[in-house]
Amino acid sequence: MKRGIAVLVSLSALVTVGYFTASKWAIRHETLTFHDPARDNRPVAVDVAVRWDKEMQANAGMLRLPVAILNHGNTVKFTEYSFLANVFAARGYMAVSIQHDLPTDPPMVTKVGELYVGRQPQYLRGVANIKFAVEEMEKVQPNADYDHLTVVGHSAGADISMYFAKLHPELIKKVVTLDNLRVPFITDGRFKILSFRSRDPAFKTDPGVLPSEEVCEKAGITVVRTGFQHNDMRDTGPDEAKASIQGMVDKFLDDDSPLRPVITKTPPLMTDAGPVAPYVRDTGAPPLQN
C-alpha cells in the first residue's frame, strides 16, 4: 500500500514537471522596446511571453488573451522572472514583463518619515511605465484583455504592483506579490490577492503592510509565509522555491479550484501586522531589491 502511494506521488510530480516543461517549449518570448514621448522618449522595454497556439487563436479573433503584468525588484532585470512568466503563459495569458529602471535613473534612496520611506517616486514611475506599456501593447496585440489585468511583482516590483492596484482598481483582476515590504495591502475585497512572504532577517516588512488574519479572510487575501530567502523568489533562486511558487500561482489562476498550501521549510501561516499605518519606518534593510 505504501509503495503504491509512493508511486502515485512520484507520478503526480512527474506530471507537474512535465506540464511546465512541455508548456515552456510552446511559449514564445519576444523583447520589445517602446519610447514614451511624454517622458523625453524614455525607453520602456518589455519581454512578452505567450503560447504560440493561444496567440494564433487570438490573432484569428477566436479569443482575447488575458494579460499579466510582471514587475521586477530593484536592480533586477525584467527578464529574471521567466519562471513566473512561463506559468502565466502556460495558462493562456500574455505575460508582459516591464523594465522599470534605467542606468540613468537616480538610485533608490531611503528617507525616514516620508511615505513608503521615500520610495513613492519610484512607484509612480512604475505606474507610468505600466500604463504606457499597456497602451503600446494594445497596438501590438489588440486581441487581449487590457481592462482586467493581473499584476505581479517581487520586492519593489511587488510594491509597484500593489500601488498600481490602489490607483487603478478598475483595471485589476488579481494581484500576486512576492515580498512587498512597503505598500499596504488593499483590503476592500474588489479582487483576490496572493502574497508570498520570505523568511529573511535582512528584509523586513514594514508595520501596517500586512493586514490581520481576520481582514485577509474577509478581503480574499491569501498570505503564504515560506521558508525561503527574499532573493530566492526569482530565476536565480533554488528550484524548490520556484517550483513551490509556480504551483501556488497555478492554483490561484484556477478560479474553480481552492487554494492549497505550498509545502515549504516552514508551515504557511498568516501574519498579523495590526492596522495599516499611513507612514512606514525605515527597516535598515539592504537596498538591493528593497
Side-chain angles (χ1 to χ4, degrees):
M1 182 65 177
K2 290 183 179 179
R3 181 181 179 184
I5 293 175
V7 171
L8 180 61
V9 171
S10 298
L11 287 175
S12 298
L14 287 174
V15 169
T16 301
V17 172
Y19 166 72
F20 285 113
T21 301
S23 299
K24 181 178 179 180
W25 293 112
I27 294 170
R28 179 180 72 84
H29 283 264
E30 179 182 12
T31 298
L32 304 170
T33 301
F34 308 116
H35 292 83
D36 187 355
R39 293 184 291 167
D40 296 324
N41 284 325
R42 178 186 178 88
V44 179
V46 300
D47 179 80
V48 181
V50 62
R51 266 174 51 176
W52 288 96
D53 58 332
K54 294 298 182 181
E55 184 177 38
M56 287 190 293
Q57 291 175 27
N59 291 338
M62 299 171 61
L63 55 81
R64 296 183 73 199
L65 293 167
V67 179
I69 302 295
L70 277 65
N71 303 289
H72 62 83
N74 183 39
T75 75
V76 182
K77 297 298 183 183
F78 67 123
T79 53
E80 292 188 49
Y81 296 90
S82 62
F83 85 101
L84 281 174
N86 287 336
V87 171
F88 283 94
R91 290 295 298 257
Y93 281 68
M94 181 175 69
V96 182
S97 302
I98 303 174
Q99 178 63 46
H100 289 293
D101 305 332
L102 299 177
T104 54
D105 289 336
M108 187 177 287
V109 178
T110 296
K111 297 180 181 179
V112 179
E114 291 193 7
L115 187 62
Y116 313 128
V117 291
R119 305 297 168 84
Q120 191 177 33
Q122 281 77 20
Y123 301 158
L124 289 172
R125 183 180 66 203
V127 169
N129 288 339
I130 294 172
K131 291 184 66 178
F132 176 68
V134 166
E135 291 172 358
E136 294 302 304
M137 285 303 305
E138 286 188 88
K139 302 172 186 177
V140 175
Q141 177 49 273
N143 299 308
D145 186 0
Y146 300 99
D147 296 324
H148 303 89
L149 302 173
T150 295
V151 288
V152 188
H154 173 226
S155 194
D159 284 317
I160 289 173
S161 299
M162 194 67 73
Y163 201 68
F164 183 87
K166 283 179 179 289
L167 296 181
H168 301 285
E170 74 283 356
L171 298 177
I172 300 301
K173 178 181 178 182
K174 292 183 178 181
V175 178
V176 180
T177 72
L178 289 76
D179 246 14
N180 56 304
L181 305 177
R182 310 289 187 181
V183 180
F185 281 63
I186 300 169
T187 58
D188 58 14
R190 294 182 63 176
F191 40 78
K192 291 184 177 181
I193 299 174
L194 172 65
S195 182
F196 297 91
R197 317 308 301 177
S198 72
R199 187 179 183 182
D200 192 325
F203 294 88
K204 296 295 186 180
T205 306
D206 283 332
V209 171
L210 287 172
S212 67
E213 182 176 356
E214 181 181 1
V215 171
C216 285
E217 185 175 355
K218 291 180 179 179
I221 300 171
T222 300
V223 178
V224 180
R225 170 172 272 180
T226 75
F228 306 127
Q229 297 290 304
H230 181 82
N231 289 326
D232 288 344
M233 299 178 177
R234 55 179 183 174
D235 283 352
T236 55
D239 291 340
E240 179 187 2
K242 291 182 289 186
S244 294
I245 293 170
Q246 283 179 318
M248 191 71 165
V249 170
D250 188 54
K251 288 297 181 185
F252 183 63
L253 298 179
D254 189 351
D255 289 332
D256 298 326
S257 297
L259 289 172
R260 292 185 295 183
V262 173
I263 299 175
T264 61
K265 296 178 182 178
T266 57
L269 52 86
M270 304 300 289
T271 302
D272 185 350
V276 174
Y279 294 90
V280 293
R281 65 173 176 78
D282 176 31
T283 62
L288 179 62
Q289 298 187 54
N290 194 0

